[in-house]
Amino acid sequence: MECIFCKIINKELPADIVFEDDDVIAFNDINPIAPVHVLVIPKRHISSVVDIKSEDSDLMGKLIFTAKKIADNSGVSQKGYKLLFRVGKDGGQEVQHIHLHLIGGKK
Ligand code: AMP
Ligand code: ZN
């Protein structure tokens, strides 16, 4: 498997995991742009938001809810944060496995 995020899911590559269940995993971004910078990803490989289907709606909702819980636990919810999906070339997506950026702790 080439995908680096699948390797993290399979524990073939180390990561600073902050949350994990059967469907999703969340870990600290290796190159954080803010004090809190977590990536929340589905365990099932989906390359991009471009590729999501109707049946992926619950899973995508779960990514957002997981990010919300991590934000709460990180203490950034009161001041606010960004949730970001980069999509495709113009969106600046570099890793071809859907990931939701949770970015907080600074304006
Ligand atoms: P994007 O540009 O939206 O595709 O974001 C990819 C993100 O993945 C970047 O913020 C990288 O810093 C991050 N990243 C790449 N490799 C790793 C890794 N092995 N562990 C944690 N974060 C990573
Ligand atoms: Zn993958």
Side-chain angles (χ1 to χ4, degrees):
M1 173 64 80
E2 290 265 299
C3 172
I4 57 164
F5 286 179
C6 282
K7 283 185 176 163
I8 288 173
I9 292 162
N10 295 326
K11 309 282 157 62
E12 292 164 23
L13 204 70
D16 192 3
I17 294 166
V18 298
F19 177 80
E20 177 170 14
D21 69 11
D22 287 346
D23 303 316
V24 305
I25 186 166
F27 50 90
N28 287 318
D29 196 293
I30 205 167
N31 189 16
I33 62 166
V36 174
H37 189 173
V38 176
L39 302 176
V40 186
I41 72 174
K43 284 195 168 173
R44 184 157 56 79
H45 181 94
I46 305 171
S47 296
S48 168
V49 169
V50 165
D51 301 306
I52 61 179
K53 301 189 166 63
S54 171
E55 56 265 32
D56 301 322
S57 301
D58 285 355
L59 183 58
M60 296 305 293
K62 192 164 177 182
L63 292 186
I64 295 173
F65 190 65
T66 301
K68 171 250 178 339
K69 284 190 294 179
I70 295 166
D72 290 349
N73 292 337
S74 305
V76 298
S77 292
Q78 203 184 350
K79 284 198 165 178
Y81 49 86
K82 292 190 187 84
L83 294 179
L84 170 69
F85 287 109
R86 293 198 172 97
V87 184
K89 208 171 156 202
D90 282 0
Q93 183 181 355
E94 286 180 352
V95 177
Q96 304 308 315
H97 182 130
I98 285 185
H99 48 283
L100 176 58
H101 293 259
L102 162 62
I103 300 163
K106 75 169 195 189
K107 205 161 182 187

